[in-house]
């Protein structure tokens, strides 16, 4: 099989901020004649079936020259900004008139050149360039942002008309998806091909946790958009999980440190700590709700099934459950601190009442 037209897209996502004000970012980019920006919407899927709740902002950053597989190649660079604080940088390598085996090898070459294990600084340069343009739109910048990588192998046309079923008999997508040319076991092959989807007779999407093969003869991009969103949600859930992991030892240390010798005087301190934890829970809960509801799915259509499979494959629900468990622990902690604060106030009130009664008795005795 000959790949007549297609592309290899490497994506790196950065969790740069707690929130990105997309409207402000649009305003900052509006005066730049050298850049194109627009809100992304799903083109081939009805809006009443699947749609972005807040469409991300896409920005074309231009072309860059990179060495891929020992040859100088021109890649187009673009970015998408999500309102919940994630920036996705994409580097796209066009492919034309390439044999399938060469295409699969090119996918590996791209990963070796700019993948997660290489030392290329191009990703940080592109991210820094974008940040310099729209930094005013970022709220709550992250010191050391987490990162995620994903790779798409896109084919728009082969040298002969094919259907999804006939394509699977003519090419082997497992080496492309796995990154291994050595033959895999039958069980491993089935696992790589488990998440395979087709809507029309002549399109195909096979997704794994870090790569996907997409055959889209109509040039539709909805599946690619949804896969990127799933990665963005994974990145944010990882960030929240790490934030809570870092917060829980601090929470324990603060709770232990704020135990004075006279507990009746500790009510105000416990109340301040409880308010701080309550504010943290409210903030994380709001952010996770925004991430969970980034895509609105109202019908069980093809794209919704792809999205559900991607979310499950990337273990987003597991990170979400871990975040929920830690939030529950923090809720229990601030509830306990609030109870101690109320108990301390009640104890202080009792002491005051006893002191007043004792004073009254003492004054009565002195008067006599």
């Amino acid at each position: 099989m000959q790949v007549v037209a297609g592309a290899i897209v490497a994506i790196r996502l950065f969790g740069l901020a707690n929130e990105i004000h997309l409207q402000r970012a649009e305003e900052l980019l509006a005066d730049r004649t050298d850049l194109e920006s627009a809100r992304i919407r799903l083109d081939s899927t009805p809006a009443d079936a699947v749609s972005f709740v807040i469409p991300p902002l896409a920005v074309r950053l231009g072309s860059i020259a990179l060495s891929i597989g020992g040859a100088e190649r021109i890649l187009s660079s673009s970015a998408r900004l999500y309102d919940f604080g994630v920036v996705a940088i994409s580097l796209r390598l066009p492919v034309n008139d390439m044999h399938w085996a060469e295409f699969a090898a090119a996918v590996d070459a791209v990963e070796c050149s700019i993948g997660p294990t290489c030392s290329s600084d191009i990703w940080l340069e592109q991210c820094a360039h974008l940040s310099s343009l729209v930094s005013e739109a970022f709220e709550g910048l992250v010191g050391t942002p987490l990162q995620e990588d994903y790779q798409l192998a896109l084919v728009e046309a082969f040298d002969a008309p094919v259907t999804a079923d006939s394509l699977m008999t003519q090419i082997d997508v497992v080496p492309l998806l796995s990154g291994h040319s050595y033959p895999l076991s039958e069980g491993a092959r089935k696992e790589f091909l488990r998440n395979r989807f087709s809507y029309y007779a002549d399109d195909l999407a096979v997704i794994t946790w870090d790569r996907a093969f997409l055959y889209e003869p109509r040039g539709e991009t909805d599946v690619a958009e949804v896969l990127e969103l799933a990665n963005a949600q994974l990145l944010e859930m990882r960030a929240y999980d790490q934030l809570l992991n870092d917060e829980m030892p601090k929470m324990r240390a603060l709770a232990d440190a704020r135990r004075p010798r006279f507990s009746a005087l500790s009510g105000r301190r416990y109340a301040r700590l409880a308010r701080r934890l309550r504010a943290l829970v409210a903030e994380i809960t709001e952010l996770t709700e925004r991430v969970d509801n980034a895509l609105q799915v109202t019908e069980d259509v093809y794209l919704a099934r792809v999205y559900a499979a991607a979310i499950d494959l990337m273990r987003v629900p597991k990170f979400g459950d871990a975040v929920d468990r830690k939030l529950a622990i923090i809720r229990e902690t601030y509830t306990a601190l609030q109870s101690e604060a109320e108990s301390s106030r009640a104890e202080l009130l009792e002491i005051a009442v006893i002191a007043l009664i004792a004073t009254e008795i003492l004054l009565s005795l002195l008067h006599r």
Side-chain angles (χ1 to χ4, degrees):
M1 295 289 292
Q2 194 87 358
V3 178
V4 175
I8 301 169
V9 183
I11 306 171
R12 181 163 295 186
L13 302 99
F14 298 85
L16 294 183
N18 291 335
E19 184 177 358
I20 301 177
H21 300 285
L22 299 184
Q23 185 173 353
R24 178 57 181 155
E26 284 183 291
E27 295 171 355
L28 294 170
L29 295 170
D31 297 332
R32 295 295 300 257
T33 58
D34 57 330
L35 299 174
E36 295 181 23
S37 62
R39 292 296 186 101
I40 293 297
R41 301 184 185 278
L42 302 175
D43 297 327
S44 61
T45 305
D48 59 351
V50 181
S51 62
F52 290 110
V53 175
I54 301 179
L57 177 64
V59 185
R60 292 187 181 181
L61 300 176
S63 300
I64 56 174
L66 288 176
S67 177
I68 304 293
E72 195 78 5
R73 305 296 297 271
I74 302 298
L75 291 80
S76 60
S77 176
S78 62
R80 289 190 182 91
L81 287 72
Y82 293 87
D83 70 297
F84 48 80
V86 170
V87 170
I89 308 291
S90 298
L91 298 180
R92 183 184 184 95
L93 174 65
V95 172
N96 297 289
D97 298 323
M98 185 178 287
H99 190 272
W100 173 258
E102 296 174 336
F103 180 68
V107 173
D108 293 336
V110 167
E111 180 165 347
C112 291
S113 300
I114 55 177
T117 59
C118 75
S119 58
S120 174
D121 294 330
I122 187 62
W123 297 108
L124 296 178
E125 293 172 3
Q126 295 293 300
C127 188
H129 174 54
L130 178 66
S131 298
S132 66
L133 298 174
V134 295
S135 59
E136 293 180 23
F138 294 160
E139 181 179 324
L141 283 172
V142 176
T144 305
L146 293 180
Q147 302 178 23
E148 277 290 335
D149 286 86
Y150 204 75
Q151 199 163 356
L152 302 174
L154 309 174
V155 176
E156 293 183 359
F158 286 100
D159 56 345
V162 292
T163 64
D165 293 334
S166 65
L167 184 61
M168 294 300 294
T169 63
Q170 297 181 65
I171 63 173
D172 187 5
V173 299
V174 171
L176 181 147
L177 295 171
S178 65
H180 300 291
S181 57
Y182 196 79
L184 301 182
S185 68
E186 191 61 30
R189 288 179 59 84
K190 289 181 179 179
E191 186 64 25
F192 275 105
L193 299 175
R194 181 167 59 91
N195 293 291
R196 188 176 79 183
F197 304 92
S198 292
Y199 188 72
Y200 298 105
D202 62 345
D203 64 20
L204 178 65
V206 188
I207 64 175
T208 66
W209 70 277
D210 63 343
R211 288 186 182 185
F213 167 69
L214 306 179
Y215 175 47
E216 293 285 355
R218 281 160 292 279
E220 297 172 353
T221 61
D222 286 1
V223 173
E225 307 287 355
V226 163
L227 292 177
E228 183 181 281
L229 173 62
N231 276 276
Q233 291 175 304
L234 168 63
L235 181 63
E236 277 300 277
M237 285 302 177
R238 282 182 54 208
Y240 301 149
D241 185 60
Q242 179 174 302
L243 174 63
L244 293 175
N245 280 339
D246 296 339
E247 187 65 30
M248 293 184 74
K250 297 177 185 177
M251 175 187 70
R252 185 180 305 167
L254 285 171
D256 292 341
R258 295 183 176 232
R259 291 181 182 275
R261 180 175 299 177
F262 300 102
S263 61
L265 304 177
S266 64
R268 185 173 298 177
R269 297 176 179 178
Y270 283 136
R272 283 199 299 266
L273 180 54
R275 285 196 297 270
R276 176 182 173 277
L277 294 179
R278 185 165 58 247
L280 174 66
V281 169
E283 178 185 359
I284 298 296
T285 301
E286 179 186 356
L287 293 173
T288 53
E289 285 293 323
R290 184 181 301 176
V291 173
D292 287 338
N293 298 321
L295 195 70
Q296 186 176 33
V297 180
T298 57
E299 296 180 14
D300 187 18
V301 295
Y302 166 71
L303 198 61
R305 291 189 289 113
V306 174
Y307 173 66
I311 288 292
D312 184 63
L313 190 62
M314 296 172 190
R315 307 182 304 280
V316 176
K318 292 184 179 179
F319 279 101
D321 291 342
V323 169
D324 288 340
R325 286 195 299 271
K326 289 163 188 171
L327 285 175
I329 293 173
I330 294 178
R331 287 191 190 96
E332 292 173 2
T333 301
Y334 79 61
T335 300
L337 288 172
Q338 189 68 31
S339 297
E340 288 200 39
E342 294 173 358
S343 176
S344 297
R345 285 194 292 268
E347 185 178 346
L348 186 61
L349 183 61
E350 290 176 4
I351 292 175
V353 171
I354 293 172
L356 288 173
I357 294 173
T359 302
E360 181 98 5
I361 295 173
L362 181 60
L363 290 175
S364 177
L365 292 175
L366 288 175
H367 177 70
R368 290 182 182 180

